[in-house]
């Protein structure tokens, strides 16, 4: 059978395809290729969802029976509060509603984010049993989009008795030169404070393996939950400081001189940027940069034990953070040669 991957032009998708191939995938995004359908979610028409599934069957000679939704609006944008993300969600809802009503879909996997639980507050070893904050308390458009996406997907699937899972992930280190987290680390590796606050991160390869496990499981099984946190390698049973990830990046880059700047400098930079963003929100990119700085101020650690219990094979299949950065460094060296 065939899996339709909505938002299938991300670095995570490329890691998944490099690891598992694309024979059973049809990608839906802004680019067109042999196994990809070009589509702008913000301009979805009422007849387009059926055409998408017809084309997907033609490309793979098999009907679509699973859907992966991996849509993530860009974080670094000149206008942080435009309507594009919610237009994207309307397009997702139209495709999903058609799929659940008219196509033989047996499972929907939503690659969500811990932002759905509100990034602009402390998240201290949160598990799936902890209720999310009330949506009206959210202040960041990105967080609102991720939470609203979960609610729309849950509603449509429940109305049509289709099994679904939200996989909440954190920052991931992807295998391309545009990876935001890796580029930030590249700058921080030169001179940065050791940040003691736990902020979970993971590798795109680990998340790809998690996606594969979720797509391969028996979807009629009562074991499968509607939400999982998988925010760091399961080998890290307890959360680790943000500085740990920067240290592993330096090790993998063979940087012998480990220089740590004063933490107070980072604190004052965050406060100053926040004041500027509040005073001049019309300046391009200022609100987006302020959001990312504010997110880094809070703890973001999660209890991944539910995922570890239901998918025990993952512990042996994972790569460590150091291995992730080492593998990625070698890939970047090959691509640049």
């Amino acid at each position: 059978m065939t899996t339709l991957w909505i938002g299938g032009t991300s670095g995570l998708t490329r890691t998944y395809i490099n690891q598992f191939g694309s024979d059973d995938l049809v990608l839906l995004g802004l680019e067109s290729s042999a196994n990809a359908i070009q589509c702008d979610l913000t301009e979805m028409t009422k007849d387009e969802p059926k055409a998408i599934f017809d084309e997907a069957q033609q490309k793979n000679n098999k009907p679509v029976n699973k859907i992966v939704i991996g849509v993530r609006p860009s974080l670094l944008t000149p206008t942080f509060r435009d309507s594009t993300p919610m237009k994207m969600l309307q397009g997702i809802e139209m495709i999903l509603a058609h799929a659940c009503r008219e196509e033989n879909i047996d499972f929907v996997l939503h690659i969500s984010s811990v932002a759905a639980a509100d990034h602009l507050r402390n998240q201290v070893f949160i598990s799936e049993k902890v209720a999310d904050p009330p949506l009206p308390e959210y202040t960041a458009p990105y967080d609102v989009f991720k939470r609203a996406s979960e609610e729309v997907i849950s509603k449509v699937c429940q109305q049509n008795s289709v099994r679904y899972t939200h996989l909440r992930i954190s920052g991931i280190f992807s295998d391309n030169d545009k990876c935001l987290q890796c580029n930030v680390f590249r700058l921080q590796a030169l001179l940065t404070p050791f940040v003691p606050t736990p902020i979970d991160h993971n590798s795109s390869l680990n998340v790809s393996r998690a996606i594969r496990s979720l797509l391969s499981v028996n979807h009629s099984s009562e074991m499968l939950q509607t939400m999982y946190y998988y925010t760091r390698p399961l080998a890290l049973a307890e959360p680790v400081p943000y500085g740990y990830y920067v240290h592993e990046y330096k090790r993998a880059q063979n940087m012998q001189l480990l220089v740590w700047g004063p933490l107070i400098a980072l604190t004052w930079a965050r406060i100053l940027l926040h004041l500027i963003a509040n005073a001049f929100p019309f300046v391009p990119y200022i609100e987006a940069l302020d959001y990312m700085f504010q997110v880094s101020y809070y703890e973001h650690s999660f209890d991944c034990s539910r995922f570890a219990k239901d998918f025990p094979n993952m512990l042996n299949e994972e790569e460590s953070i150091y291995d992730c950065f080492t593998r990625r460094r070698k890939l970047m060296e090959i691509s640049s040669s």
Side-chain angles (χ1 to χ4, degrees):
M1 302 298 278
T2 299
T3 297
L4 179 68
W5 191 314
I6 302 174
T9 54
S10 66
L12 176 59
T13 312
R14 286 191 284 273
T15 301
Y16 182 94
I17 291 174
N18 288 340
Q19 183 70 16
F20 300 109
S22 60
D23 290 346
D24 58 348
L25 286 181
V26 174
L27 311 178
L28 185 68
L30 295 175
E31 302 169 9
S32 179
S33 65
N35 70 329
I37 300 171
Q38 190 172 23
C39 170
D40 186 345
L41 291 171
T42 65
E43 299 180 357
M44 185 68 55
T45 64
K46 63 183 180 64
D47 297 324
E48 201 166 352
K50 182 180 185 305
I52 287 170
F53 282 88
D54 289 345
E55 185 175 352
Q57 181 164 349
Q58 291 174 3
K59 282 183 176 291
N60 223 31
N61 297 316
K62 292 177 288 187
V64 173
N65 71 319
K66 294 178 177 62
I67 295 176
V68 173
I69 301 173
V71 176
R72 185 180 75 88
S74 176
L75 281 173
L76 192 58
T77 57
T79 52
F80 191 54
R81 300 181 184 276
D82 67 13
S83 60
T84 300
M86 300 316 290
K87 289 180 180 178
M88 293 167 65
L89 181 54
Q90 291 173 4
I92 292 169
E93 185 173 11
M94 291 174 67
I95 295 172
L96 187 60
H98 168 84
C100 291
R101 288 196 305 261
E102 307 296 337
E103 309 291 336
N104 190 25
I105 303 298
D106 60 33
F107 183 60
V108 175
L109 173 59
H110 177 214
I111 305 169
S112 188
S113 165
V114 298
D118 192 357
H119 246 157
L120 295 180
R121 66 175 69 208
N122 278 315
Q123 300 168 314
V124 182
F125 209 59
I126 298 294
S127 76
E128 297 86 352
K129 297 177 182 178
V130 177
D132 293 329
L135 189 54
E137 294 182 6
Y138 289 42
T139 58
Y142 181 81
D143 300 2
V144 171
F145 169 81
K146 298 308 293 187
R147 173 72 176 276
S149 296
E150 288 193 357
E151 293 184 352
V152 165
I153 292 165
S154 297
K155 179 191 71 174
V156 173
C157 290
Q158 290 169 7
Q159 289 174 345
N160 294 276
S161 300
V162 174
R163 297 294 298 271
Y164 66 94
T165 291
H166 303 292
L167 179 65
R168 286 186 175 180
I169 62 175
S170 52
I172 60 172
F173 308 118
S174 60
D175 297 340
N176 65 75
D177 57 2
K178 295 181 180 179
C179 172
L180 178 61
Q181 281 80 11
C182 294
N183 286 330
V184 169
F185 275 35
R186 180 168 55 85
L187 296 174
Q188 290 178 327
L190 302 176
L191 178 64
T192 187
F194 184 92
V195 178
T197 308
I199 302 179
D200 288 355
H201 284 76
N202 211 337
S203 84
S204 61
L205 181 56
N206 287 343
V207 174
S208 294
R209 287 170 172 157
I211 292 169
R212 187 69 171 185
S213 294
L214 283 160
L215 291 176
S216 303
V217 75
N218 179 4
H219 297 118
S220 62
S221 169
E222 292 301 317
M223 174 273 288
L224 189 66
Q225 304 292 322
T226 57
M227 184 188 296
Y228 291 103
Y229 281 109
Y230 180 49
T231 57
R232 66 180 179 279
L234 299 178
L236 298 175
E238 299 295 326
V240 295
Y242 179 83
Y244 164 85
Y245 298 96
V246 179
H247 179 268
E248 295 302 273
Y249 177 87
K250 290 181 175 182
R251 275 214 307 146
Q253 298 296 320
N254 298 318
M255 298 177 68
Q256 301 301 319
L257 184 61
L258 302 184
V259 179
W260 299 102
L263 184 58
I264 189 65
L266 182 63
T267 302
W268 279 108
R270 178 186 61 81
I271 293 172
L272 180 61
L273 180 61
H274 190 55
L275 291 173
I276 294 172
N278 284 337
F280 307 102
F282 50 85
V283 175
Y285 296 101
I286 192 70
E287 284 193 298
L289 290 169
D290 178 49
Y291 169 74
M292 289 187 282
F293 259 75
Q294 295 306 314
V295 167
S296 68
Y297 170 73
Y298 296 99
E299 176 170 345
H300 305 289
S301 65
F302 301 87
D303 180 357
C304 302
S305 59
R306 173 187 284 184
F307 186 75
K309 174 178 175 293
D310 288 354
F311 298 92
N313 60 301
M314 280 296 300
L315 186 59
N316 296 323
E317 296 177 3
E318 288 180 327
E319 65 177 358
S320 69
I321 296 298
Y322 172 76
D323 289 341
C324 162
F325 285 137
T326 301
R327 177 180 56 80
R328 186 181 183 278
R329 173 176 56 80
K330 293 176 180 177
L331 285 173
M332 295 302 102
E333 289 172 351
I334 291 172
S335 64
S336 62
S337 61

